[in-house]
Amino acid sequence: MSAVVQSIAAEQELTDGFNLIIDALKLNGLNTIYGVPGIPITDFGRMAQAAGIRVLSFRHEQNAGYAASIAGFLTKKPGVCLTVSAPGFLNGLTALAHATTNCFPMILISGSSEREIVDLQQGDYEEMDQLAIAKPLCKAAFRVLHAADIGIGVARAIRAAVSGRPGGVYLDLPAKLFGQVMDAEAGKNSLVKVIDAAPAQIPAPDAVKRALDVLKSAKRPLIILGKGAAYAQADDEIRALIEKSGIPFLPMSMAKGLLPDTHPQCAGAARSTVLKDADVVMLIGARLNWLLSHGKGKSWGDTPKKFIQIDIEPKEMDSNVEIVAPVVGDIGSCVSALLAGMGGNWPAASADWTGVVSKKREENIAKMAPRLMNNNSPMDYHGALGVLRTIVKERPDAILVNEGANTLDLARGIIDMYQPRKRIDVGTWGIMGIGMGYSIAAAIETGKPVLAIEGDSAFGFSGMEVETICRYNLPVCIVIFNNDGIYRGTDVNPTGGSDVAPTVFVKGARYDKMMEAFGGVGINATSPDELKRAVNAALDSGKPTLINAVIDPAAGSESGRIGNLNPQSLLKKK
Ligand code: ADP
Ligand code: MG
């Protein structure tokens, strides 16, 4: 402490940037930080831990960021990620952009270098104009320069993250801010407890009536539930709406389990039929983006459609096709208003239509069933997923994390979910890399066991975090669908050179040994029976476990179900 500060301290109680940031987070119930320590935030992490915040250190900022993003989805509070400047910030930024794209509330807090030097571009340690870079990739971005503004800065970040359509917020904290000293009483008074961070947004009565009129006119109605509906935590209202209306519903992947996939009205196994034949489609917290073929084209068939859309974001309406009945508001309020408007004697969806849907669904389920019961070794996707499907049925409160190509597409269809917010996956971008970050946050935020079903390629993006899982002794069981490569392990180098094809990995790799290196349990499973035993043991014990599930390298198709998105050369292959 300088002599000046010491003499002031003799007369008054002081606080500083470190303490004010910690106090501001705690005051607002943000009690967990996912991050990677380093200059200038190492001491901040230590002090936060000492002050009772749970500080979880990762091996790479992107994984910490993904953890924070999914913590936001699971809790409706912004997940906090803490990184160092420049490269650490950039690593975290991928996750911040991901949170924004997926509408998850998250705050990325990065330390940054000295403003004066950065702005004059004089070459500071990790020099970068982080605020400018973050801005186009998130919902809002703020920088705090004075300790007295920390309270307001944190409050703005929280409100921006969770109100309206949730998203990612960047908070830039220059190194100098942490040590800035101010009067403790004034500091305390500068903190802001955010009141009603995500205010209810009540839909206009006209909009509700218009939607009900359209719904009533439908002959073959369909409800599509998206992850916004899962996020909203309006589970009872949504179930009531679906059951009262009798309308078949189609859950998007992270909305699976809002109502059980085995619910008689679930049209998951009759997806193509309902998309083609429905005449009125009500979207609840789902966008008509690429995941729904933009609401048009072949998969939507020839039947003219009318769309009703419930969303908190008014600009979402008409983004791909005309929305004849936009209902803008939060899902809880909108669904409640629809229910109230339906009154006591709402006509149930026609039995003709629901009969067609059920029949198709039963046919598809019956067609799939025998493939899921094979005990082939090496395994194929269906044999392996068949046993995991049964395990999830027996343990409906476990959280399922899922990424990969075939591993993702097939697991999504095959594994039924029974409870809300139990399936978390690649989301709007369809990305690889969320696996271990999501698994860690899911275990931390919910206390439930986690089953991560991972393609071998997907796992590679975050695999080093198995050390983190072991370090915190988390109940995470990772199953790697190891088919020796990306999509498949059978491609060959057409030149006959010694390099393998770009999509091929080391043959017969033993990912299970990675887990053993850090004290976790590693198992090599070569048949569905072995896989079943190993997963059950892992979920019973709660011990960090990695199962290397040996899949036939020839199983798997290019890009899973989205091979059509690959551009192809029309020229003759040489
Ligand atoms: P999916 O990928 O499952 O189809 P999307 O991410 O495309 O889901 O859509 C989620 C939608 O939910 C977004 O348009 C978002 O604005 C909306 N949303 C998120 N939270 C709420 C909420 N609480 N109330 C209303 N809409 C919400
Ligand atoms: Mg693979």
Side-chain angles (χ1 to χ4, degrees):
M1 236 189 254
S2 74
V4 181
V5 173
Q6 255 169 356
S7 73
I8 300 173
E11 290 153 39
Q12 53 176 157
E13 286 273 334
L14 295 176
T15 187
D16 63 7
F18 286 106
N19 285 289
L20 286 166
I21 302 162
I22 292 166
D23 293 346
L25 294 174
K26 286 177 69 175
L27 180 66
N28 286 290
L30 301 182
N31 297 314
T32 307
I33 293 176
Y34 301 92
V36 178
I39 296 171
I41 47 96
T42 312
D43 258 350
F44 174 75
R46 291 193 185 107
M47 290 173 72
Q49 184 175 55
I53 290 181
R54 190 142 195 214
V55 181
L56 296 145
S57 283
F58 283 64
R59 306 301 295 259
H60 191 286
E61 291 88 353
Q62 188 171 307
N63 305 320
Y66 284 143
S69 76
I70 207 67
F73 169 77
L74 291 169
T75 64
K76 293 185 96 173
K77 286 198 296 190
V80 178
C81 175
L82 178 68
T83 81
V84 302
S85 33
F89 155 77
L90 287 173
N91 289 344
L93 196 55
T94 303
L96 189 69
H98 163 83
T100 308
T101 299
N102 282 275
C103 316
F104 300 159
M106 164 180 173
I107 302 174
L108 175 68
I109 303 179
S110 295
S112 59
S113 302
E114 297 313 333
R115 286 253 47 82
E116 294 81 352
I117 304 178
V118 171
D119 287 350
L120 268 173
Q121 298 175 35
Q122 294 173 308
D124 204 359
Y125 167 74
E126 296 191 348
E127 176 180 296
M128 178 172 278
D129 187 358
Q130 296 171 194
L131 185 68
I133 290 167
K135 257 182 196 159
L137 295 170
C138 61
K139 192 177 166 194
F142 306 105
R143 175 186 291 136
V144 182
L145 290 174
H146 303 294
D149 292 332
I150 286 171
I152 285 292
V154 170
R156 296 210 72 185
I158 293 171
R159 202 175 272 288
V162 296
S163 62
R165 169 183 277 177
V169 176
Y170 176 58
L171 193 58
D172 192 81
L173 304 182
K176 261 189 203 164
L177 177 76
F178 292 89
Q180 262 185 44
V181 171
M182 71 180 285
D183 175 71
E185 188 61 24
K188 193 172 169 211
N189 291 335
S190 73
L191 298 182
V192 176
K193 185 166 165 58
V194 179
I195 308 297
D196 196 11
Q201 289 184 222
I202 314 289
D206 282 0
V208 173
K209 182 171 181 307
R210 192 185 300 119
L212 287 173
D213 287 346
V214 175
L215 203 58
K216 206 169 222 169
S217 75
K219 295 205 162 54
R220 295 183 301 280
L222 171 68
I223 293 176
I224 298 183
L225 300 172
K227 60 182 172 302
Y231 173 80
Q233 299 193 14
D235 309 338
D236 294 345
E237 291 90 334
I238 290 171
R239 179 188 271 267
L241 177 74
I242 285 175
E243 292 185 343
K244 186 168 179 177
S245 68
I247 298 174
F249 69 94
L250 186 65
M252 301 299 287
S253 71
M254 282 176 59
K256 276 165 71 82
L258 257 180
L259 286 85
D261 284 330
T262 50
H263 190 283
Q265 286 167 257
C266 181
R271 188 176 196 273
S272 37
T273 301
V274 289
L275 290 186
K276 279 201 176 77
D277 295 346
D279 61 350
V280 168
V281 178
M282 179 153 80
L283 300 155
I284 307 185
R287 286 171 283 186
L288 281 175
N289 56 17
W290 70 282
L291 289 159
L292 283 169
S293 313
H294 307 282
K296 54 199 170 194
K298 219 172 98 203
S299 50
W300 287 89
D302 299 327
T303 308
K305 313 251 185 262
K306 286 183 179 163
F307 287 98
I308 303 168
Q309 183 159 25
I310 302 181
D311 205 290
I312 203 156
E313 175 57 65
K315 292 200 298 288
E316 186 56 39
M317 307 300 164
D318 306 322
S319 55
N320 285 276
V321 296
E322 180 188 33
I323 303 298
V324 300
V327 184
V328 175
D330 73 273
I331 285 168
S333 301
C334 292
V335 172
S336 300
L338 287 169
L339 273 168
M342 286 163 86
N345 50 356
W346 184 264
S350 94
D352 282 355
W353 169 234
T354 56
V356 168
V357 178
S358 316
K359 182 159 170 278
K360 189 75 207 167
R361 160 199 154 116
E362 296 315 320
E363 276 169 22
N364 286 343
I365 291 173
K367 226 187 283 172
M368 177 79 85
R371 299 181 69 187
L372 299 176
M373 292 184 330
N374 84 65
N375 197 32
N376 295 345
S377 175
M379 293 182 270
D380 59 29
Y381 284 95
H382 289 85
L385 288 169
V387 298
L388 296 177
R389 176 181 199 263
T390 307
I391 289 170
V392 170
K393 185 176 182 182
E394 289 162 358
R395 301 168 186 267
D397 68 338
I399 301 216
L400 184 72
V401 175
N402 191 198
E403 62 175 337
N406 294 282
T407 308
L408 174 86
D409 290 337
L410 293 167
R412 183 179 52 228
I414 290 171
I415 299 181
D416 289 329
M417 303 305 298
Y418 300 86
Q419 295 177 12
R421 293 169 296 283
K422 295 297 186 185
R423 183 187 156 86
I424 49 182
D425 66 25
V426 303
T428 304
W429 270 339
I431 42 150
M432 308 283 148
I434 49 90
M436 298 304 103
Y438 273 24
S439 297
I440 292 166
I444 296 283
E445 300 291 340
T446 70
K448 302 285 183 208
V450 175
L451 175 62
I453 304 182
E454 301 269 316
D456 52 345
S457 157
F459 172 73
F461 290 79
S462 66
M464 191 62 214
E465 304 296 346
V466 294
E467 188 275 331
T468 312
I469 291 168
C470 291
R471 183 165 16 107
Y472 295 111
N473 194 26
L474 299 174
V476 175
C477 172
I478 306 156
V479 177
I480 298 193
F481 276 49
N482 184 0
N483 65 350
D484 292 349
I486 302 174
Y487 312 133
R488 270 182 314 264
T490 51
D491 279 8
V492 287
N493 178 344
T495 70
S498 60
D499 285 350
V500 296
T503 53
V504 167
F505 294 150
V506 167
K507 295 216 181 302
R510 292 287 302 274
Y511 291 94
D512 48 314
K513 303 274 185 197
M514 282 176 73
M515 204 60 162
E516 289 175 353
F518 303 107
V521 178
I523 310 247
N524 190 51
T526 58
S527 70
D529 282 347
E530 281 174 27
L531 178 61
K532 182 173 160 188
R533 270 198 299 279
V535 175
N536 276 321
L539 295 175
D540 285 340
S541 72
K543 285 190 193 139
T545 301
L546 192 158
I547 301 163
N548 184 58
V550 181
I551 304 286
D552 183 350
S557 53
E558 181 100 349
S559 305
R561 294 252 171 90
I562 53 174
N564 59 311
L565 298 181
N566 286 313
Q568 303 267 328
S569 171
L570 297 176
L571 305 177
K572 254 206 185 130
K573 287 214 171 101
K574 282 201 186 123

